[in-house]
Structure formats: C-alpha cells, structure tokens
Amino acid sequence: MRANPYQGPPPPGPYVNGQVVYGGSPDAAGLPWAAPVVPAPVPAGPVAPVPAAVPVPALALAAAGAAPAMDTQVARELKRQVAAELHQQLSRLNEASGTEADRATRRQRGRALIEEAVARWSDAYAQTHGIPPTRDQDRALAEAVYDLLFRAGRLQPYLDDPEIENILINGCDDVWVSRVHQPLRQVPPVADSDEELIELLQDLARQHGGGERSLSTASPMLALRLEGGMRLQAMTEVTPRPYVAIRRHRVASANLRDLVQLGTVDTTLAAFLAAAIRARKNVMITGTQGVGKTSLLRAMAAEIPPDERIGTLESEFELWLHTLGHLRQVVPMEAREGNGERVDGRLAGELTIGELIPAALRMTLSRIIVGEVRSGEVVPMLRVMTNGEGGSMCTLHARGPHMVVDRIAELCLEYGSHMTDSLAYRLTANAIDFIVHVTMVDETAVGGRRHRFVSHVLEVAGLGESGRPAMNTVFGPRPELGEVRAVPVTPPHSLDDLRRAGFDAGLLASPYGTWGAPLNLRIGGMR
C-alpha cells in the first residue's frame, strides 16, 4: 500500500471516495409486464353474450379457477375505446366553452372514462370465464390504460425508476437499461410489435406540445423531452427497425455544493467555478455524451444572482432553469422542428437555436445559456460571448479538452463558406474565458463504479504565436500522484477578476485541492 500524498482531512459530506453510494433497485423482472402472457383454454359450454365494444380475449390463468393476469392487448383496446370517447367529450366541451380543455381536465375526464371501461371489461370477463378479476388486477389494468393514453405506456415503469439512467430500444423486443453503477442489461419488451412501438412514440410526440414533432415516413427522426426532464431520440424508416434512446438527468436541481457531495468537483474547484460565474466569465463545458455536462451547467447557473435576466436556448428543454425557482427572470426558448415539407431546402416551420439567438439578444438579457452547441449556431454563440456583458455558458461534445478548439473550428466551418480556420480561432480566443471538461471513468465491467468528475479547467488566454488560441491549464489531473480529477496546476491570468468576485487565491496553493485521497480506481490510479 503506497502512502497517501494528500494532506489534511477530507471535505465533509456523505460520500465514499468522492462518490455518493446509491442503493440498488428492484430487478426489471418485478415489473407487471415481465411475465409472458399464455392464452388460457376456452371454457366449454354456452357463453353469455358480451357487448361488442368490450374485448374479452383469453387471459393468462395461473391454474384452474385462478384470477386473470393482465393482458396488454386488453389495455391497448381499452385505450383506443377511451381515446375515442374522450375525444367526443372534449369536442363537445370545447364547443360549449369556446376554449380548449387544459391538460388537467383531459386527464381527469380520461381517468373517469378508464374506470368505466375497466368496469365494463371486468363484468364481461366474469361472465365469459366464470371468475371475476380482483380489485388489484382491475387497478393494474386501469393504470396500464392510463399510461398508454397519457404517459409512456409500457415504458413508464422504466421512466419511473430513478435508478435507471439510460433506456435503449432496438426494436420492440430488444430493450436494454443501465442503472447507476451497473452495466447494460436486457429487460422485457415495451411493445408487442414495432408498429405498436411506433404508435407509442407518435402518442408521445402528440403529448409533447412543443411544436410540430412527429415520427413518420416524412419525419423519420424524433427528438423530444419527456415528463421529468428525460430526453428521447427516436429513428425509423432510415433504420431496419425503430430505434430509441432515452437519457435521464438524475441530478435535476443540483448546485455546486451537491456536486461536491457527488464527487464531481472538490470544494476548491467549486469555489473557483462559482467565482467565475460571479465574475461574468464566459464558460464552455465539454465532454462526451452522458458524463454530466448539463448537470454541471445547471449547477453553475445556480450561482447567477437571482434577479439577473437570462435566456436559455435548447433543442429540447433540459436545463429547466425557468422552473427551479432560483432565478426570477428566465426567458426559456426551445427550438422547433419542421413539419416534413421542405421549402427552399429546409423544413417548413423549422426554427433552429442559431435563428433564436438574434431574437434572444433583443430580450434585454444579461446572459445567454445554450444547452448544447451542435452545429453552425456556435458562431452566433461566440459572437454573443464576445459582444455581450459576459457570463454566458454553453456545452459542447468533445472527447478530450485539447480537442475543443479544433472541434469549435469544425462547427464554425458549417456556418458558411466565408468562415475560415483563422477566423474561427480568433472568435474562440475573443469569446471564451474558460473550458471546463467533464470525464467519466466507467469500471462497471470490472465490478467497479461509474466515476463522473471534472478533469480539466483550461483558460483561453488570447491568440498564441501560431494563430491558435493559447491555453493555460488552471486545473488538471496529477498522474504522478495517481489523481485523475482536476486539482490546481497554474493560476489563471484573470485571477484578480476572480478575487474581486470573492475567490480565495490561497486555495490554489494546494497541489491536491481539497480531495481527501486520490480517486480509488480498480484499474489505474493509486491504490
């Protein structure tokens, strides 16, 4: 066992080795749709007549005289019946009132219709099979119909499980989930056919309510937000089967203190990032997919003074700064997809983040936050950072911190033919003050954990001699100490600005930051 090179006690917090210890969650086999449905034998003898509107398919029977298990076909058929009845009721209500029923009214009326439909089905089943469903089974069927009509159907139990981070669907019967600190594992299907899966996705698009989003031959890609802030991306027609990826932001309302407890940053880096926000420094947060860029951006935004007027621009709302309550004046803007009809080479009705930025500038905003820069909108974003008051932020996908400058240049070249590498480098050098890179080390395959942490903070210090932005590593890993997380390396050129914002420069004197010990990795690092 090598000696611990760190000095001083670890910072306080309920965590182990800089990471919160999460408990497990029930296995997916415990979900009500895990067991396959086995058709029951049709009983002999005369059968009482059943109303045509009520389906009575054979249900699974555990044994002779046992109560029925829930059949997803029944739930789907009842959902269609209730949807038709609800549409008629709401149409009459809208005509009478002259206004469209709100979401709460639709769900309240839908719940009443579902209870009636389940009661009719239960009576018909009892007449046909000679044994009535139990109250719990009726309740489970009603919830399944409600989920199909107003929520995410058979996906909903996975969405409700807070331990699930990712849901990957490669066709209706090939579904995988990843839980906290666990590798991917396959779970039961979420639909009985790909057609049913597409119908579910189309229902989710209609429920979205954020512009014209659909999934069809004309619009084979769908991106939307789900209840609880989860993000869904689906593709069909251009793939052999419908493919879906759903990501959960598990740290929905965290601040920098919370990220200290999670082991993303230590108290030194948290103080530094908070001072950078107060000092109105422009920050770009980078990293690969799923490492926690949005969570860090949200936590840093919590350091903005509450009375400042800011604007958020996103393809789908994920930051939710307008709902968290800390900031009193937030103008949230969400890009809008087109309707599948191309006009002059683009989708009719489409509004991109880049097109929203000029309008955002006329909203008297002190800062602009872009959830994710993906394409040519990087140019207006950099111009906002250059010409505004400062303090703007965005995220960008990049595999390593030293790739960020070239990644920005690549996106700038998508802006137009007049853009060049040298102009992109100049824009970057003038606009960005700090690049904060987030890393994930995934050791679940070797029995370990997923470690998400900030690994680098780079200061952009103007143009260098080669015409590229000069980079100063303020925080970085210390491989010689077995530390892969960001610890102080070099004081920034803008240290005086941070000191005026309340930062204690003495914190940069410790080469170990305020970590209690190096990150305990199973492979690499210091044991």
Side-chain angles (χ1 to χ4, degrees), residues 449-469:
R449 306 159 58 84
R450 290 188 185 94
H451 304 274
R452 294 178 172 93
F453 52 86
V454 173
S455 62
H456 295 77
V457 176
L458 306 180
E459 182 183 33
V460 183
L463 280 177
E465 296 180 357
S466 61
R468 293 170 57 89

Side-chain angles (χ1 to χ4, degrees), residues 108-164:
Q108 182 179 15
R109 288 178 175 263
R111 177 69 79 176
L113 290 173
I114 289 171
E115 296 296 337
E116 294 174 5
V118 170
R120 291 196 304 267
W121 170 84
S122 185
D123 290 343
Y125 187 91
Q127 294 178 31
T128 305
H129 293 76
I131 180 171
T134 67
R135 182 176 300 179
D136 287 342
Q137 289 164 330
D138 281 350
R139 187 179 299 114
L141 178 58
E143 288 303 316
V145 177
Y146 184 86
D147 285 345
L148 285 170
L149 189 59
F150 294 112
R151 304 179 76 196
R154 289 158 66 179
L155 260 175
Q156 196 61 49
Y158 302 123
L159 302 182
D160 290 340
D161 186 342
E163 297 295 309
I164 290 179

Side-chain angles (χ1 to χ4, degrees), residues 81-95 109 113:
Q81 293 179 22
V82 171
E85 295 177 31
L86 181 61
H87 176 72
Q88 293 178 1
Q89 283 197 12
L90 294 179
S91 296
R92 291 193 294 267
L93 180 64
N94 295 344
E95 290 176 3
R109 288 178 175 263
L113 290 173

Side-chain angles (χ1 to χ4, degrees), residues 194-514:
D194 286 350
E195 291 73 21
E196 182 188 338
L197 175 58
I198 291 175
E199 180 183 342
L200 170 62
L201 295 170
Q202 291 169 338
D203 287 344
L204 290 175
R206 282 190 288 270
Q207 296 169 21
H208 177 267
E212 300 181 6
R213 299 185 187 234
S214 63
L215 187 67
S216 63
T217 302
S219 300
M221 291 172 285
L222 172 66
L224 52 83
R225 65 182 185 275
L226 302 175
E227 290 184 0
M230 290 165 283
R231 185 174 70 183
L232 178 148
Q233 179 70 51
M235 301 178 69
T236 188
E237 301 296 335
V238 296
T239 53
R241 306 182 68 183
Y243 285 74
V244 185
I246 300 174
R247 285 186 54 211
R248 179 193 304 276
H249 290 287
R250 299 186 61 258
V251 189
S253 58
N255 54 35
L256 287 173
R257 291 184 298 277
D258 296 325
L259 294 191
V260 170
Q261 304 301 320
L262 289 169
T264 306
V265 296
D266 66 350
T267 54
T268 296
L269 183 50
F272 181 91
L273 296 176
I277 298 303
R278 293 194 299 269
R280 306 193 70 90
K281 299 300 180 182
N282 293 323
V283 178
M284 177 175 282
I285 300 173
T286 64
T288 55
Q289 187 175 21
V291 297
K293 300 185 299 297
T294 301
S295 297
L296 178 58
L297 178 59
R298 192 185 296 115
M300 292 176 65
E303 299 296 327
I304 298 174
D307 290 330
E308 279 199 32
R309 183 174 170 86
I310 71 166
T312 61
L313 295 94
E314 303 176 80
S315 55
E316 300 87 33
F317 287 136
E318 293 183 276
L319 292 171
W320 300 106
L321 299 185
H322 57 293
T323 66
L324 295 179
H326 166 69
L327 297 167
R328 301 189 181 99
Q329 292 202 61
V330 180
V331 181
M333 289 161 274
E334 186 178 51
R336 187 177 68 192
E337 292 187 354
N339 61 11
E341 300 177 4
R342 291 197 173 271
V343 179
D344 296 329
R346 59 176 297 168
L347 298 177
E350 181 184 24
L351 274 177
T352 66
I353 290 178
E355 291 168 328
L356 289 172
I357 288 178
L361 293 175
R362 293 190 287 270
M363 296 298 292
T364 317
L365 304 174
S366 66
R367 305 174 193 243
I368 286 182
I369 299 176
V370 175
E372 183 180 337
V373 172
R374 294 180 178 141
S375 187
E377 67 268 11
V378 69
V379 173
M381 181 67 205
L382 293 175
R383 287 173 176 166
V384 166
M385 289 180 165
T386 302
N387 301 325
E389 300 178 37
S392 293
M393 293 186 286
C394 66
T395 72
L396 176 77
H397 276 84
R399 192 175 60 175
H402 297 287
M403 301 177 184
V404 172
V405 169
D406 287 325
R407 178 78 178 123
I408 294 173
E410 291 172 5
L411 297 182
C412 285
L413 293 176
E414 297 180 13
Y415 183 73
S417 58
H418 61 282
M419 184 61 61
T420 63
D421 286 346
S422 60
L423 180 55
Y425 292 150
R426 188 177 300 112
L427 280 171
T428 303
N430 291 334
I432 301 174
D433 295 305
F434 293 106
I435 294 170
V436 181
H437 190 76
V438 189
T439 297
M440 178 174 70
V441 176
D442 187 351
E443 294 194 315
T444 56
V446 293
R449 306 159 58 84
R450 290 188 185 94
H451 304 274
R452 294 178 172 93
F453 52 86
V454 173
S455 62
H456 295 77
V457 176
L458 306 180
E459 182 183 33
V460 183
L463 280 177
E465 296 180 357
S466 61
R468 293 170 57 89
M471 310 293 283
N472 177 31
T473 302
V474 182
F475 288 79
R478 290 289 184 101
E480 70 278 10
L481 301 177
E483 181 59 86
V484 296
R485 298 169 295 192
V487 293
V489 177
T490 306
H493 294 296
S494 57
L495 182 58
D496 287 344
D497 293 338
L498 302 179
R499 292 174 59 201
R500 295 186 188 100
F503 179 66
D504 179 5
L507 293 174
L508 299 177
S510 171
Y512 316 115
T514 45

